[in-house]
Amino acid sequence: MQKRTDLAMEVRESFPRDNVEVKGVILTKEHFEKGELDVTTVNIKDEKGSTAMGKPRGVYVTVESPLLTVEDEDHGPIIDKIAENVESICDGLTDKSVLVVGLGNREVTSDSLGPKVTESLFVTRHIDREFGTAFMKENELGLVSAIAPGVMGQTGMEAIEIIQGLVDQTTPELVVVIDALAARSLSRLCTTVQITDTGISPGSGVGNHRKELSKTSLGVPVIAIGVPTVVDANTIVSDHLESVLTKQGYNENEIGSFLKEVMGQEMENVFVTPKNIDESVHVISQDLSKVLNKLMHKK
Amino acid sequence: MQKRTDLAMEVRESFPRDNVEVKGVILTKEHFEKGELDVTTVNIKDEKGSTAMGKPRGVYVTVESPLLTVEDEDHGPIIDKIAENVESICDGLTDKSVLVVGLGNREVTSDSLGPKVTESLFVTRHIDREFGTAFMKENELGLVSAIAPGVMGQTGMEAIEIIQGLVDQTTPELVVVIDALAARSLSRLCTTVQITDTGISPGSGVGNHRKELSKTSLGVPVIAIGVPTVVDANTIVSDHLESVLTKQGYNENEIGSFLKEVMGQEMENVFVTPKNIDESVHVISQDLSKVLNKLMHKK
Amino acid sequence: MQKRTDLAMEVRESFPRDNVEVKGVILTKEHFEKGELDVTTVNIKDEKGSTAMGKPRGVYVTVESPLLTVEDEDHGPIIDKIAENVESICDGLTDKSVLVVGLGNREVTSDSLGPKVTESLFVTRHIDREFGTAFMKENELGLVSAIAPGVMGQTGMEAIEIIQGLVDQTTPELVVVIDALAARSLSRLCTTVQITDTGISPGSGVGNHRKELSKTSLGVPVIAIGVPTVVDANTIVSDHLESVLTKQGYNENEIGSFLKEVMGQEMENVFVTPKNIDESVHVISQDLSKVLNKLMHKK
Amino acid sequence: MQKRTDLAMEVRESFPRDNVEVKGVILTKEHFEKGELDVTTVNIKDEKGSTAMGKPRGVYVTVESPLLTVEDEDHGPIIDKIAENVESICDGLTDKSVLVVGLGNREVTSDSLGPKVTESLFVTRHIDREFGTAFMKENELGLVSAIAPGVMGQTGMEAIEIIQGLVDQTTPELVVVIDALAARSLSRLCTTVQITDTGISPGSGVGNHRKELSKTSLGVPVIAIGVPTVVDANTIVSDHLESVLTKQGYNENEIGSFLKEVMGQEMENVFVTPKNIDESVHVISQDLSKVLNKLMHKK
């Protein structure tokens, strides 16, 4: 029974008790803005932790706020907190040449976050090549390139093939990947930003970008910034059932065989997403573009 | 427990046995193209039928084909069958002045069917006003106007208010409304076209166009053409549970109270949709534009 | 020889000398932000002025800044100046129920300003209808509805027909029309915002919205906010020629007959637009949305 | 005085007489469909011809039809003629693995041809990798990948860098580049398709993709398919003037110095495009997708 989530934080929550340490995994939580802005860090320190969590070793920071998706609110504190964590996980963005990759399908609203973020980036690599380093310094411009390559059904190519080609040709010092993620819980949709130094692992996102995008595969550090916009339909149904059956006193085995019966193939390739997904993706992509423009260009 | 579907055919299926008549409702089925193209007609004849079905009196024709969403296939037979049924339910489209309304939110892929259909229509009302009736006859052009007004969250107005205004100002003889629908079963998504002479009833579609669009409210006949693109998340979960619990021998009451426990508020305002919804909506909207262009302009 | 411009300011400039008064027309100029933000007011007081200018009586305020199209710059002063002039020309926007109409074709970049502005508006009329006046007051929300109806080639209907229908159905106290305009001079493109209380007159814009939209035709006050994004190709060529031939000593008649020879029909239905029109329209539409949201909702 | 055109045919026309041979350049013309479909071939055979023409050596086929942009007409003969010439210039498309590159800016209507063509391609490379060669043969599928990378202002990278990376990673046997072109004459806009085996040379298109895309630079054959959608504003003005002044008896030098006076810097970075460019680009991109799908997949 696959209970899919791209959020390390949700994997950690699936362990029975919050206060018991999972070996090799360090969990820290901080609360800001009167509890309306939470930062959770899951640090997977070693192979034991990686196996337990089913995620690569590395740091996963989750910035969470119910206000993230509300256009009217002041997004200043959220943007600052995301920026602070991106900066720290990159060990400094500002002096590096950066390739930003917006993964996902711009034609599917819930998968269009990556393309939308790249659309609003201030891209400068060509300016540096035309006007030179002195001009860039004077104007406090970082060296930024960007692409939204589309998904495999549109290109016939794996994201890793496209990005490897770009890395070889343009030699950025850092790759930042933006992608829509799948969460396990509906309440996380569009309220959560995960920042990680592990890149993107197989099977992530709606678009099914299958090969890993990481420092190991690409040869340069890869930071991934993701926002859950969908829940797998199988996951939502089985989670619901499990919680009720547990309450009714069934044991794990009984629940397992019940679920096997319920869950059908027909729910593969479908997902759950909120009605107002267009507005949420719009608001959050604007925020993420601001975070990156600010960090990369010192303005 | 609301099990939402906009398809009259699915409501009819929810009655225990296919061969038992629901009073006031006539059901007919036809099969074409070696079983790859089915036409089901639900005719709600009177108030008794209307109450039993929870749908207004009128004719609901469903054209169903697994090939509808497959771009490569020859769509000729499907297009012809849809056209034939639209023509018959309108009692002839060709000599009427028609206002086509594409309901839905163009920014949300699963709700963008209506706007996409109007985009590819051959609109001619302004040509008639500039070049006159003789020109239109000579070129075998019907009198067509179209609009995709957007959803209430974008306009602040009910669809009925916008369309009533247009009907008053431009006096079409027929209004054709195109909309994305909610089905109960995943297998119906993007494989089914429902054509009805009842217009659109409250609560239909994803976009929540709340007031009825019908001959009664608008004063001119209203034909609705709809394609299910989403399933309500609550519906899918409760349908799954119900079917399993029934197999396990629980009775209706037991199932009912179990469902009350499982189903939470958090699943309101979320829906289930297929991953390749962008391609499906593209293909089907092309087909529906062809159907309408063909019928309205005799070409 | 049609020298088309939708800017009253450019019509005024076509009169030989700036300091000589055109009868019935009052011209005032103000400079702000060290000359980087200019406000020009053309007030056409009577029929004589109207005939001389070829524009309806009324006030035309032009806010001009080379920074309008530059994304990086601080747009605060520009936004404030536009807001100040919109507010004053409306005699107060805040307590009125407003229908905002985004004219133009969203599929043609240079004509997409109107639809883009409405996309980012905070629309509230449906909230008032659901939650009532007290809720609106408490949250300092104005009563706003909006539509981007598309151009006549897409709808078959005149803008006036669509808007008249909406005004009848929803009875706003004020209509604000947003549209892309044609300028005479390339330097005005995307650097200029014209605000007027005369509505939109025939032939304006790229989209050829032909019937006048004004208080006279609609029965409610109409404010138009426009930004020039194109120059008519005939206009640019003949302007160029005229200026050179004048320098060479030719007289008006000679120039006139020369132009008649040069200017061909083939340049009808083509227009001139800048290469970076996508970015400019994006930046300016964001500004105009901010202006309207701020004025209409007191935030 | 730069008179820019991307059409070899228009360069050839600029030579005084059609029937006099330009050395190293062979011109052939054919007429089909009662003169409504013309094919012009310019074959630049050697360096002398290349210098005279200011274009690389190679074959430039132009398929021209006034019906190309008319949606209602039967496009069968045009599609067949384009396909026939693409096939012959590629020396057979069907058995090759092909990377199709849609150049241009999808946000600017007149520059969106390339992205729009790739959107409707049937891309299959990932299917081959998943299901194997036997499956591809059985279904008569060619090996196709595609990308629309965006323009330099969006990516910070040259088209050549992006494509070189893709060619290195995915080793296609042929690259097909689709791009919007600049013509010299308005009558060529959206009525002309140029097919060439020389790739794309510097300065072509609106998007200013600066480095050459050719067999020499990429190491695999490059076919370019282009459609003119804009005329450079300077070109249109100077062409107009030149033709009139020539009629008036001025000599080449006089005209030259007159033009120097007229033509200003302000017309750089602006272009001329038709009002209905959205429809034209839509129709032509559909045709080009059909041509490529048909040739690449034998269907």
Side-chain angles (χ1 to χ4, degrees):
Chain A
M1 190 63 47
Q2 195 196 8
K3 301 239 187 89
R4 177 155 157 236
T5 176
D6 295 324
L7 296 177
M9 176 191 185
E10 289 191 328
V11 178
R12 182 59 188 75
E13 286 169 350
S14 68
F15 289 93
R17 272 172 290 175
D18 212 44
N19 54 349
V20 171
E21 205 172 307
V22 176
K23 273 191 187 162
V25 179
I26 296 170
L27 177 74
T28 55
K29 289 188 176 187
E30 290 171 288
H31 304 283
F32 304 91
E33 301 284 315
K34 300 173 185 165
E36 296 218 299
L37 181 59
D38 293 349
V39 176
T40 306
T41 305
V42 176
N43 190 344
I44 304 181
K45 302 287 284 183
D46 55 27
E47 276 316 301
K48 200 171 275 175
S50 175
T51 308
M53 294 282 291
K55 299 259 168 213
R57 269 197 279 176
V59 178
Y60 302 79
V61 179
T62 307
V63 177
E64 223 178 332
S65 171
L67 307 179
L68 187 57
T69 199
V70 183
E71 187 155 17
D72 283 347
E73 293 299 327
D74 174 18
H75 283 218
I78 302 176
I79 289 174
D80 288 346
K81 193 55 73 187
I82 299 172
E84 183 190 316
N85 282 285
V86 170
E87 181 73 0
S88 110
I89 222 165
C90 292
D91 206 13
L93 238 179
T94 349
D95 294 323
K96 290 176 183 138
S97 60
V98 182
L99 168 62
V100 182
V101 180
L103 292 180
N105 183 345
R106 74 180 76 225
E107 304 296 327
V108 175
T109 314
S110 56
D111 201 29
S112 65
L113 180 85
K116 276 195 193 298
V117 171
T118 59
E119 261 173 35
S120 296
L121 286 184
F122 184 34
V123 165
T124 54
R125 183 173 169 272
H126 59 303
I127 299 175
D128 173 70
R129 286 157 73 93
E130 190 157 348
F131 296 102
T133 312
F135 178 87
M136 300 295 278
K137 283 218 167 127
E138 200 181 313
N139 291 279
E140 297 191 310
L141 297 175
L143 208 62
V144 180
S145 56
I147 197 161
V151 295
M152 205 164 61
Q154 295 168 323
T155 65
M157 301 178 277
E158 305 264 3
I160 180 76
E161 295 176 306
I162 297 172
I163 298 168
Q164 185 71 64
L166 295 175
V167 167
D168 292 349
Q169 290 289 317
T170 68
T171 60
E173 292 162 291
L174 177 69
V175 172
V176 175
V177 177
I178 317 290
D179 201 7
L181 305 177
R184 187 165 162 177
S185 155
L186 285 172
S187 67
R188 291 263 153 66
L189 296 187
C190 305
T191 61
T192 311
V193 177
Q194 175 175 275
I195 306 150
T196 169
D197 58 2
T198 63
I200 300 263
S201 29
S204 292
V206 180
N208 223 8
H209 329 287
R210 292 183 307 179
K211 297 269 175 60
E212 183 184 290
L213 286 171
S214 68
K215 183 168 182 180
T216 314
S217 63
L218 282 175
V220 287
V222 179
I223 302 301
I225 305 176
V227 176
T229 59
V230 300
V231 176
D232 191 79
N234 268 321
T235 300
I236 210 171
V237 174
S238 62
D239 259 19
H240 252 81
L241 290 180
E242 212 176 308
S243 97
V244 179
L245 295 172
T246 304
K247 277 188 211 154
Q248 296 190 327
Y250 289 93
N251 69 31
E252 218 170 292
N253 282 346
E254 289 165 325
I255 294 174
S257 59
F258 178 76
L259 287 181
K260 259 188 207 153
E261 236 175 305
V262 192
M263 308 308 298
Q265 272 203 319
E266 66 159 4
M267 288 223 283
E268 277 169 29
N269 293 317
V270 299
F271 58 82
V272 178
T273 200
K275 274 190 189 169
N276 64 341
I277 185 69
D278 56 329
E279 291 162 38
S280 299
V281 167
H282 176 73
V283 173
I284 300 174
S285 66
Q286 293 294 323
D287 281 359
L288 293 184
S289 298
K290 277 179 200 157
V291 165
L292 291 174
N293 283 332
K294 190 178 148 179
L295 290 177
M296 298 188 301
H297 301 306
K298 279 191 187 154
K299 306 200 192 198
Chain B
M1 189 63 48
Q2 195 197 9
K3 300 237 188 93
R4 173 149 162 241
T5 175
D6 296 324
L7 297 176
M9 173 192 188
E10 289 191 328
V11 178
R12 182 60 188 76
E13 286 169 352
S14 68
F15 289 92
R17 273 171 289 174
D18 213 43
N19 54 350
V20 171
E21 205 172 307
V22 177
K23 272 190 187 164
V25 180
I26 297 170
L27 176 74
T28 56
K29 289 189 177 188
E30 291 171 287
H31 304 282
F32 304 91
E33 300 286 312
K34 302 174 184 164
E36 296 218 300
L37 182 59
D38 294 349
V39 177
T40 306
T41 305
V42 175
N43 190 341
I44 304 182
K45 302 286 284 183
D46 54 26
E47 276 315 302
K48 200 172 275 175
S50 175
T51 307
M53 295 283 290
K55 300 258 169 215
R57 270 198 278 176
V59 178
Y60 303 78
V61 179
T62 308
V63 177
E64 222 179 333
S65 171
L67 307 179
L68 187 58
T69 197
V70 183
E71 187 155 16
D72 285 346
E73 293 299 327
D74 175 18
H75 283 218
I78 302 176
I79 289 174
D80 288 346
K81 193 56 74 190
I82 299 172
E84 184 190 316
N85 282 286
V86 171
E87 181 72 0
S88 110
I89 223 165
C90 291
D91 206 12
L93 238 178
T94 349
D95 293 324
K96 290 178 183 135
S97 61
V98 182
L99 168 62
V100 182
V101 180
L103 292 180
N105 183 346
R106 74 181 75 226
E107 305 295 327
V108 175
T109 314
S110 56
D111 201 30
S112 65
L113 180 84
K116 276 195 193 299
V117 170
T118 59
E119 262 173 34
S120 297
L121 285 185
F122 184 34
V123 164
T124 53
R125 183 174 170 273
H126 59 303
I127 299 175
D128 173 68
R129 287 158 73 92
E130 190 157 349
F131 297 102
T133 312
F135 178 88
M136 300 294 279
K137 281 215 167 130
E138 200 181 313
N139 291 278
E140 296 189 312
L141 297 175
L143 208 62
V144 180
S145 56
I147 198 161
V151 294
M152 204 165 61
Q154 295 167 323
T155 65
M157 300 178 277
E158 305 264 2
I160 180 75
E161 295 175 305
I162 298 172
I163 299 168
Q164 185 71 65
L166 295 175
V167 167
D168 291 349
Q169 289 290 318
T170 68
T171 60
E173 292 161 291
L174 177 69
V175 172
V176 175
V177 177
I178 317 290
D179 201 8
L181 303 178
R184 186 164 161 179
S185 155
L186 286 172
S187 67
R188 290 262 152 67
L189 296 187
C190 304
T191 61
T192 311
V193 177
Q194 175 174 276
I195 306 151
T196 169
D197 59 2
T198 63
I200 300 263
S201 28
S204 292
V206 181
N208 223 8
H209 327 288
R210 293 183 306 179
K211 296 269 175 60
E212 185 184 287
L213 286 171
S214 68
K215 185 170 179 181
T216 313
S217 63
L218 283 175
V220 287
V222 179
I223 301 302
I225 305 177
V227 176
T229 60
V230 300
V231 177
D232 190 79
N234 268 321
T235 300
I236 209 171
V237 174
S238 61
D239 259 18
H240 252 84
L241 289 180
E242 211 176 310
S243 98
V244 179
L245 294 173
T246 305
K247 277 189 211 152
Q248 295 191 328
Y250 290 92
N251 69 32
E252 218 170 292
N253 283 346
E254 288 166 324
I255 294 174
S257 61
F258 177 76
L259 288 181
K260 259 188 208 155
E261 236 175 304
V262 192
M263 309 309 298
Q265 272 203 318
E266 65 161 3
M267 288 222 284
E268 277 168 29
N269 293 317
V270 299
F271 59 83
V272 178
T273 198
K275 273 190 189 169
N276 63 342
I277 185 67
D278 56 329
E279 292 163 36
S280 298
V281 167
H282 176 74
V283 173
I284 300 174
S285 65
Q286 293 294 324
D287 282 359
L288 293 185
S289 298
K290 278 180 200 156
V291 165
L292 291 175
N293 282 331
K294 192 179 148 179
L295 289 177
M296 298 187 301
H297 301 306
K298 280 193 186 153
K299 306 202 191 195
Chain C
M1 189 62 50
Q2 197 198 6
K3 301 236 188 90
R4 173 150 162 241
T5 177
D6 295 324
L7 296 176
M9 176 192 187
E10 289 191 328
V11 178
R12 182 59 187 75
E13 286 170 350
S14 69
F15 289 93
R17 272 171 291 174
D18 213 44
N19 55 348
V20 171
E21 206 173 305
V22 177
K23 274 191 186 161
V25 180
I26 295 171
L27 177 74
T28 55
K29 291 188 176 188
E30 290 172 287
H31 304 283
F32 304 92
E33 299 287 313
K34 300 175 186 164
E36 295 217 301
L37 181 59
D38 294 349
V39 177
T40 305
T41 305
V42 176
N43 189 342
I44 303 181
K45 303 285 284 183
D46 56 26
E47 277 315 302
K48 201 172 275 174
S50 175
T51 308
M53 295 283 291
K55 300 258 167 214
R57 270 196 278 174
V59 178
Y60 302 79
V61 179
T62 308
V63 176
E64 223 177 333
S65 170
L67 306 179
L68 187 58
T69 198
V70 183
E71 188 156 15
D72 285 346
E73 292 299 328
D74 174 19
H75 283 219
I78 301 177
I79 289 174
D80 289 346
K81 194 54 76 186
I82 298 172
E84 181 191 317
N85 281 285
V86 170
E87 179 73 0
S88 110
I89 222 166
C90 292
D91 207 11
L93 239 178
T94 348
D95 294 324
K96 290 176 184 138
S97 60
V98 183
L99 167 62
V100 182
V101 180
L103 292 180
N105 183 346
R106 73 180 77 224
E107 304 296 326
V108 174
T109 315
S110 56
D111 202 30
S112 64
L113 181 83
K116 277 193 192 299
V117 171
T118 58
E119 263 173 34
S120 297
L121 286 185
F122 184 35
V123 165
T124 53
R125 183 174 170 273
H126 58 305
I127 299 175
D128 172 68
R129 287 157 73 93
E130 191 156 348
F131 297 101
T133 312
F135 178 86
M136 301 294 278
K137 281 219 169 127
E138 199 181 314
N139 291 278
E140 297 190 312
L141 297 175
L143 208 62
V144 180
S145 56
I147 198 162
V151 295
M152 205 165 61
Q154 296 167 323
T155 64
M157 300 178 276
E158 306 264 2
I160 180 75
E161 294 175 306
I162 298 171
I163 299 167
Q164 185 71 64
L166 296 175
V167 167
D168 292 349
Q169 289 290 318
T170 68
T171 60
E173 292 162 290
L174 177 69
V175 172
V176 175
V177 177
I178 317 289
D179 201 8
L181 304 177
R184 186 164 164 180
S185 155
L186 286 172
S187 66
R188 291 263 153 65
L189 296 186
C190 305
T191 61
T192 311
V193 176
Q194 176 175 276
I195 306 148
T196 171
D197 60 2
T198 63
I200 299 263
S201 26
S204 292
V206 179
N208 223 9
H209 328 288
R210 291 182 309 180
K211 296 267 175 61
E212 186 185 287
L213 286 171
S214 67
K215 185 171 180 178
T216 314
S217 63
L218 283 175
V220 286
V222 180
I223 302 302
I225 305 177
V227 176
T229 59
V230 301
V231 177
D232 190 79
N234 269 320
T235 300
I236 209 170
V237 173
S238 62
D239 260 18
H240 252 82
L241 289 180
E242 212 176 308
S243 99
V244 179
L245 294 172
T246 305
K247 276 189 210 153
Q248 294 189 330
Y250 289 93
N251 69 33
E252 218 171 291
N253 283 346
E254 289 165 325
I255 294 173
S257 58
F258 177 77
L259 287 181
K260 260 187 205 153
E261 239 175 302
V262 191
M263 307 309 297
Q265 275 203 316
E266 66 160 3
M267 287 221 284
E268 279 168 26
N269 292 318
V270 298
F271 59 82
V272 178
T273 200
K275 273 188 190 171
N276 63 342
I277 185 68
D278 55 330
E279 292 163 37
S280 299
V281 167
H282 176 72
V283 174
I284 300 173
S285 65
Q286 294 294 324
D287 282 359
L288 293 184
S289 299
K290 277 179 200 157
V291 164
L292 291 174
N293 283 333
K294 191 179 148 179
L295 290 176
M296 298 186 302
H297 301 305
K298 279 195 187 154
K299 306 203 189 193
Chain D
M1 191 61 48
Q2 197 198 6
K3 300 238 187 89
R4 176 154 159 237
T5 176
D6 295 325
L7 297 177
M9 175 193 189
E10 289 191 329
V11 179
R12 182 59 188 77
E13 285 170 351
S14 69
F15 290 93
R17 273 171 291 173
D18 212 46
N19 54 350
V20 171
E21 204 173 305
V22 177
K23 274 192 184 161
V25 179
I26 296 171
L27 177 73
T28 55
K29 289 188 177 188
E30 290 172 286
H31 304 283
F32 304 92
E33 301 285 313
K34 302 178 184 163
E36 295 218 301
L37 181 58
D38 294 349
V39 177
T40 305
T41 306
V42 175
N43 189 342
I44 303 181
K45 303 284 286 182
D46 56 26
E47 276 316 302
K48 201 172 275 174
S50 174
T51 308
M53 294 282 290
K55 299 258 169 216
R57 270 196 279 175
V59 178
Y60 301 80
V61 178
T62 308
V63 177
E64 223 178 331
S65 171
L67 307 179
L68 187 57
T69 198
V70 183
E71 188 155 15
D72 285 345
E73 292 299 327
D74 173 19
H75 283 219
I78 301 176
I79 288 174
D80 289 346
K81 193 54 75 186
I82 298 172
E84 181 190 318
N85 282 284
V86 170
E87 180 74 359
S88 110
I89 223 166
C90 291
D91 207 12
L93 238 180
T94 349
D95 294 325
K96 290 176 183 135
S97 60
V98 182
L99 168 62
V100 182
V101 180
L103 292 180
N105 182 347
R106 73 180 76 224
E107 303 296 327
V108 175
T109 315
S110 56
D111 202 29
S112 64
L113 181 84
K116 276 193 191 300
V117 170
T118 58
E119 261 172 36
S120 296
L121 285 184
F122 183 34
V123 165
T124 53
R125 182 174 170 272
H126 58 304
I127 299 175
D128 173 68
R129 287 159 72 94
E130 190 156 349
F131 297 101
T133 313
F135 178 87
M136 301 294 279
K137 281 218 168 127
E138 199 181 314
N139 291 280
E140 297 190 311
L141 296 176
L143 208 63
V144 180
S145 55
I147 198 162
V151 295
M152 204 164 62
Q154 296 167 321
T155 65
M157 301 179 276
E158 305 264 3
I160 180 75
E161 295 176 305
I162 298 171
I163 299 167
Q164 185 71 63
L166 295 175
V167 167
D168 292 350
Q169 289 290 318
T170 67
T171 61
E173 292 162 292
L174 177 70
V175 172
V176 175
V177 177
I178 316 290
D179 201 7
L181 304 178
R184 187 165 161 179
S185 155
L186 286 173
S187 66
R188 291 263 153 66
L189 296 186
C190 303
T191 61
T192 311
V193 177
Q194 176 175 276
I195 306 149
T196 170
D197 59 3
T198 63
I200 300 265
S201 26
S204 291
V206 180
N208 223 8
H209 328 289
R210 291 181 312 179
K211 296 269 176 59
E212 184 185 289
L213 287 170
S214 68
K215 184 170 180 179
T216 313
S217 63
L218 282 176
V220 285
V222 180
I223 301 302
I225 304 178
V227 175
T229 59
V230 300
V231 176
D232 190 80
N234 269 320
T235 300
I236 209 170
V237 173
S238 62
D239 259 19
H240 251 83
L241 290 180
E242 212 177 310
S243 98
V244 179
L245 295 172
T246 304
K247 276 190 211 154
Q248 295 189 328
Y250 290 93
N251 69 33
E252 218 171 290
N253 283 347
E254 289 165 326
I255 294 173
S257 58
F258 177 76
L259 287 181
K260 260 187 205 153
E261 238 176 299
V262 192
M263 308 308 298
Q265 274 202 318
E266 66 161 3
M267 288 224 282
E268 280 169 25
N269 292 319
V270 299
F271 59 81
V272 178
T273 200
K275 273 189 191 172
N276 63 342
I277 186 68
D278 56 329
E279 292 163 37
S280 299
V281 167
H282 176 73
V283 173
I284 301 174
S285 66
Q286 293 294 323
D287 282 358
L288 293 184
S289 298
K290 278 179 199 156
V291 164
L292 291 174
N293 282 332
K294 190 178 149 180
L295 290 176
M296 297 187 303
H297 301 305
K298 278 191 187 158
K299 306 202 191 193

